[in-house]
């Protein structure tokens, strides 16, 4: 029994896919670094007051006062947000393209298919009559000796 052999991507396609993926990850990392720099140098938490169960919670005045555990939580949250962004944006774009394609198919394709079927049904008797006339009027075949 012969098993189907998978056809691998060509090297040039692999290279293109790898470059696109690496570029997207690099852009995401760059965006995360820009956001982190903006947070580090421009975050002012003084007007924010958090109250939990009636007791105010003191927020640090700058991110430099955060402990290592909270820094790791902040970095992990940013990494999780980047991962979610790399998953959500392509899915949203794919859903949008699929919805537009479906709308075009239903809006244009279906009516055109109905028109083609109606025209085919109207032309079918004429085509049958033409074929029968052609068969009746063509010269007979001769057998070459």
């Amino acid at each position: 029994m012969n098993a189907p052999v998978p056809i691998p991507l060509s090297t040039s396609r692999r290279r293109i896919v790898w470059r696109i993926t690496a570029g997207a990850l690099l852009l995401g990392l760059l965006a995360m670094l820009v956001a982190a720099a903006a947070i580090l140098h421009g975050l002012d938490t003084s007007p924010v007051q958090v109250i939990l169960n009636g007791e105010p919670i003191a927020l640090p005045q700058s991110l430099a006062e955060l402990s290592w555990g909270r820094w790791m939580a902040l970095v992990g949250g940013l990494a999780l947000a980047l991962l979610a962004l790399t998953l959500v944006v392509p899915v949203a774009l794919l859903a949008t393209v699929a919805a537009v394609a479906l709308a075009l198919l239903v809006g244009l394709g279906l009516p055109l298919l109905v028109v083609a079927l109606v025209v085919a049904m109207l032309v079918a008797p004429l085509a049958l009559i033409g074929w029968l006339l052609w068969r009746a009027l063509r010269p007979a075949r001769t057998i070459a000796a």
Side-chain angles (χ1 to χ4, degrees):
M1 177 175 200
N2 293 335
V5 179
I7 300 172
L9 284 176
S10 67
T11 349
S12 61
R13 284 188 180 174
R14 280 188 193 161
R15 200 173 297 135
I16 290 170
V17 169
W18 171 247
R19 286 179 182 170
I20 290 172
T21 305
L25 289 175
L26 186 64
L27 283 176
L29 181 65
L30 183 65
M32 190 172 73
L33 290 176
V34 168
I39 288 173
L40 283 175
H41 296 292
L43 184 66
D44 182 22
T45 60
S46 57
V48 177
Q49 182 180 13
V50 179
I51 299 176
L52 184 66
N53 292 334
E55 297 180 21
I57 297 175
L59 296 175
Q61 292 300 316
S62 71
L63 290 177
E65 298 173 11
L66 289 177
S67 65
W68 280 103
R70 292 191 181 212
W71 266 105
M72 288 298 134
L74 181 65
V75 169
L78 287 174
L80 186 63
L82 178 66
L83 178 67
L85 184 70
T86 59
L87 293 175
V88 168
V89 169
V91 169
L93 288 174
L94 184 65
T96 304
V97 168
V100 168
L102 184 64
L104 284 175
L105 178 70
V106 171
L108 293 176
L110 219 52
L112 287 176
L113 181 65
V114 168
V115 167
L117 287 174
V118 168
V119 167
M121 289 179 70
L122 291 174
V123 171
L126 295 175
L128 179 62
I129 291 171
W131 180 72
L132 288 173
L133 281 174
W134 176 73
R135 293 280 298 194
L137 297 177
R138 73 178 179 169
R141 291 185 185 177
T142 59
I143 299 176

